[in-house]
Amino acid sequence: MKFERSNCPITNVLDLLGDKWTLLVIRDLVLGKRRYQEFLASPERIASNILAERLDRLLAAGLINRRAYQKNPTRYEYGLTKRGRDLEPILEAILTWGKKQYPGTKRFPKVQRPSD
Amino acid sequence: MKFERSNCPITNVLDLLGDKWTLLVIRDLVLGKRRYQEFLASPERIASNILAERLDRLLAAGLINRRAYQKNPTRYEYGLTKRGRDLEPILEAILTWGKKQYPGTKRFPKVQRPSD
DNA sequence: TATAGTGACTTGCAAGATGCAAGTCACAGT
DNA sequence: ACTGTGACTTGCATCTTGCAAGTCACTATA
């Protein structure tokens, strides 16, 4: 096992998730978003190139998976893997602290999907 | 209350802590480190300008405080405020996930301080 | 007295990450 | 034929990081 910066678990998590966007993509997936346009539509306005790069990284890291819901051109839907869903306690801890420190912030609601 | 990107608590936390270094400084403080050179000595090798900037931000955000332990030139020791200590559940959640995902990583030990 | 640390930063610049606008590609609909 | 949809890609300007070296006011050692 080769570590980027150190063998501290926190450091290794930050090497993967330590930026302003990656956890927001995870949040969107937890909320039920599945498609590219849905991620782009979130109020933080992620840039499309950043989103594409993050989806690649999360796929490579095994936190998400995707399935083609259409061919020619192939279009994908994304979902969390077990590994990705295991991040929920981290998101919950952040949410708890954040709501307390930033009065006026609110947990976003789950997305309604027609297919459900 | 004015929000940078959205009124999502997670987003606002990421605007403050969402990078590869800030949480490592917090980790070091939790482990008992207090002084500039101690933070610089951590195995991840934070650059001194980044460290100075992060300490400023954390001070401004009220997550840490400092006290001069010497004058001419003034030298400071840093510590976590209540607000900063409240981040521990987040660190614990990250630690738990990280240890599981990155076998071989280990929680760093508390620092021995002569003054204790 | 002279020289060499010590410690908390600051400065300058190169390298890398991010943000914005626009483009691509293979369709489906009108 | 013409417009729209959706998942990206590309180009380039700007912002953030990383690295090396410098500063400043001492204290310790020779």
Side-chain angles (χ1 to χ4, degrees):
Chain A
M1 188 71 67
K2 183 201 151 239
F3 303 116
E4 291 280 331
R5 293 190 290 175
S6 80
N7 69 332
C8 169
I10 297 172
T11 303
N12 283 275
V13 173
L14 291 177
D15 284 339
L16 178 62
L17 306 174
D19 67 77
K20 293 203 190 312
W21 293 110
T22 308
L23 277 181
L24 292 186
V25 175
I26 305 274
R27 173 205 66 183
D28 280 355
L29 284 161
V30 168
L31 294 179
K33 298 195 178 188
R34 295 285 171 266
R35 297 186 182 180
Y36 210 82
Q37 294 300 317
E38 293 182 284
F39 303 129
L40 287 181
S42 288
E44 294 85 7
R45 316 309 343 259
I46 188 171
S48 61
N49 54 345
I50 308 281
L51 173 58
E53 202 268 344
R54 292 304 191 276
L55 289 173
D56 279 353
R57 296 189 56 182
L58 291 173
L59 273 171
L63 302 197
I64 64 175
N65 52 28
R66 64 180 189 183
R67 49 171 274 270
Y69 67 89
Q70 177 192 304
K71 297 214 159 176
N72 287 94
T74 314
R75 305 241 162 107
Y76 298 103
E77 284 188 337
Y78 295 89
L80 289 166
T81 59
K82 165 84 167 67
R83 200 174 194 162
R85 284 193 301 276
D86 285 347
L87 287 170
E88 272 215 59
I90 297 178
L91 284 179
E92 285 297 326
I94 293 173
L95 204 52
T96 301
W97 191 85
K99 275 201 302 187
K100 199 163 149 193
Q101 305 302 319
Y102 302 99
T105 56
K106 274 180 189 162
R107 180 197 288 257
F108 282 11
K110 294 258 181 189
V111 171
Q112 303 293 7
R113 335 208 87 259
S115 51
D116 290 351
Chain B
M1 186 71 67
K2 182 202 152 240
F3 304 116
E4 291 281 332
R5 293 190 290 173
S6 80
N7 69 330
C8 170
I10 297 173
T11 303
N12 283 274
V13 173
L14 290 177
D15 284 339
L16 179 62
L17 306 173
D19 67 77
K20 293 203 191 314
W21 292 111
T22 309
L23 276 181
L24 292 184
V25 175
I26 305 274
R27 173 204 66 184
D28 281 354
L29 285 161
V30 168
L31 293 178
K33 297 193 178 189
R34 296 284 170 268
R35 297 185 182 181
Y36 210 84
Q37 294 300 317
E38 294 183 283
F39 302 129
L40 288 181
S42 288
E44 293 86 8
R45 318 306 346 257
I46 189 171
S48 61
N49 53 344
I50 307 282
L51 174 58
E53 201 268 345
R54 292 304 191 277
L55 290 172
D56 279 354
R57 296 190 56 183
L58 291 173
L59 273 170
L63 303 197
I64 64 175
N65 53 28
R66 63 180 189 182
R67 51 171 273 272
Y69 67 89
Q70 176 193 303
K71 297 213 161 176
N72 287 93
T74 313
R75 304 236 162 112
Y76 298 103
E77 285 188 335
Y78 296 88
L80 289 166
T81 59
K82 166 83 166 68
R83 199 174 194 164
R85 284 192 301 276
D86 285 347
L87 287 170
E88 272 215 60
I90 296 179
L91 285 178
E92 285 297 327
I94 293 174
L95 204 53
T96 300
W97 191 86
K99 276 201 300 186
K100 200 163 148 194
Q101 305 302 319
Y102 302 99
T105 56
K106 273 180 189 162
R107 179 196 288 256
F108 282 10
K110 294 257 180 189
V111 170
Q112 303 292 7
R113 333 209 89 260
S115 49
D116 290 350

